[in-house]
């Protein structure tokens, strides 16, 4: 019997599990500019790479009980001092929970319930975050290096971005002279 090599999941960008079922997407500033307060983004700035998302699963994604394993990399970009953030979403299926865990860098995980109440958790290497199914979640890079987090969630969860567009997270996150500021909209 041959012993198999393990999947080095945190090295996904290195292509270690290339050839298997890995999905990859990336967002440029032009894709997410509406999230930011600044309306003065240059055409050149719009091509800035903001974040990358890898996800991986085996078997049938429509099968209840199946899971995604994911990696999100948020680059250290500031738009007039506002920190780089993911779009943020609820899961379409509000029963589907998720775990995030910090790998590298420094961030915040913003959690918002369906009434629009927000809380924030510090994300750092080794931190573990349980995201209940009825909470919208957004990652924010508050550091100077890429923020990398691992994630695990049901393949049947889906993304509900519209609910967050209609009821945005109530705080913007800025870094001002090295200090993190949460500013109410
Ligand atoms: C999926 C999970 C992550 C995010 C990723 C990007 O349920 O929460 O993989 O999709 O961090 O965030 P967003 O809000 O742009 O999908
Ligand atoms: Zn999610």
């Amino acid at each position: 019997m041959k012993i198999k090599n393990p999947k080095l999941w945190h090295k996904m960008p290195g292509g270690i599990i290339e050839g298997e079922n890995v999905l990859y997407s990336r967002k440029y500033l032009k894709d997410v500019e509406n999230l930011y307060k600044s309306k003065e983004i240059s055409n050149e700035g719009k091509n800035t790479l903001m974040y990358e998302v890898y996800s991986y699963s085996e078997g049938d994604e429509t099968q209840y009980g199946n899971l995604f394993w994911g990696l999100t990399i948020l680059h250290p970009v500031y738009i007039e001092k506002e920190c780089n953030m993911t779009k943020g979403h609820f899961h379409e299926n509000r029963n589907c929970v998720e775990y995030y865990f910090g790998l590298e860098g420094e961030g915040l995980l913003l959690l918002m319930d369906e009434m629009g109440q927000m809380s924030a958790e510090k994300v750092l290497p080794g931190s573990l975050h349980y995201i209940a199914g009825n909470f919208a979640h957004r990652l924010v890079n508050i550091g100077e290096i890429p923020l990398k987090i691992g994630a695990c969630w049901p393949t049947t969860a889906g993304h509900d971005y519209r609910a967050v567009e209609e009821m945005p997270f109530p705080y913007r996150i800025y870094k001002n002279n090295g200090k993190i500021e949460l500013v109410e909209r």
Side-chain angles (χ1 to χ4, degrees):
M1 190 188 72
K2 196 168 166 257
I3 296 173
K4 285 188 193 164
N5 285 325
K7 296 182 199 323
L8 297 177
W9 63 272
H10 61 293
K11 294 215 168 121
M12 277 183 185
I16 302 289
I17 57 175
E18 217 172 66
E20 300 198 45
N21 199 14
V22 180
L23 304 172
Y24 172 68
S25 68
R26 64 186 127 189
K27 293 273 185 288
Y28 292 94
L29 185 50
K30 61 181 169 232
D31 304 314
V32 290
E33 61 183 301
N34 295 342
L35 301 178
Y36 295 90
K37 175 120 182 177
S38 170
K39 297 295 162 238
E40 317 265 300
I41 299 167
S42 68
N43 281 337
E44 197 190 329
K46 288 184 191 208
N47 290 322
T48 308
L49 180 59
M50 302 299 279
Y51 63 97
E52 301 170 81
V53 182
Y54 294 80
S55 60
Y56 160 78
S57 77
E58 286 191 22
D60 180 359
E61 281 177 21
T62 63
Q63 175 65 52
Y64 175 78
N66 199 355
L67 296 172
F68 276 123
W69 192 256
L71 173 67
T72 297
I73 304 170
L74 258 172
H75 294 284
V77 181
Y78 293 86
I79 311 297
E80 290 179 14
K81 301 188 178 166
E82 192 171 0
C83 303
N84 187 3
M85 65 187 118
T86 58
K87 283 172 75 171
H89 59 274
F90 286 93
H91 291 155
E92 236 162 63
N93 181 340
R94 302 288 200 270
N95 289 321
C96 290
V97 307
E98 180 161 9
Y99 278 107
Y100 275 7
F101 43 98
L103 296 167
E104 267 178 49
E106 199 189 351
L108 294 180
L109 171 60
L110 309 185
L111 296 168
M112 177 176 71
D113 69 17
E114 292 188 283
M115 305 298 289
Q117 289 294 315
M118 192 189 100
S119 63
E121 297 177 3
K122 190 85 185 275
V123 180
L124 41 87
S127 64
L128 180 65
H129 309 270
Y130 174 81
I131 302 168
N134 54 349
F135 278 70
H137 37 292
R138 165 176 286 164
L139 270 174
V140 182
N141 188 344
I142 59 169
E144 303 304 324
I145 61 169
L147 173 67
K148 295 188 183 177
I149 67 105
C152 189
W153 72 101
T155 54
T156 52
H159 293 82
D160 176 0
Y161 293 106
R162 195 192 293 172
V164 169
E165 278 159 25
E166 286 169 0
M167 184 181 66
F169 284 78
Y171 288 86
R172 294 184 175 280
I173 316 299
Y174 293 90
K175 190 167 179 179
N176 204 354
N177 292 325
K179 202 170 150 266
I180 301 304
E181 294 171 353
L182 280 72
V183 177
E184 211 161 347
R185 277 172 190 274

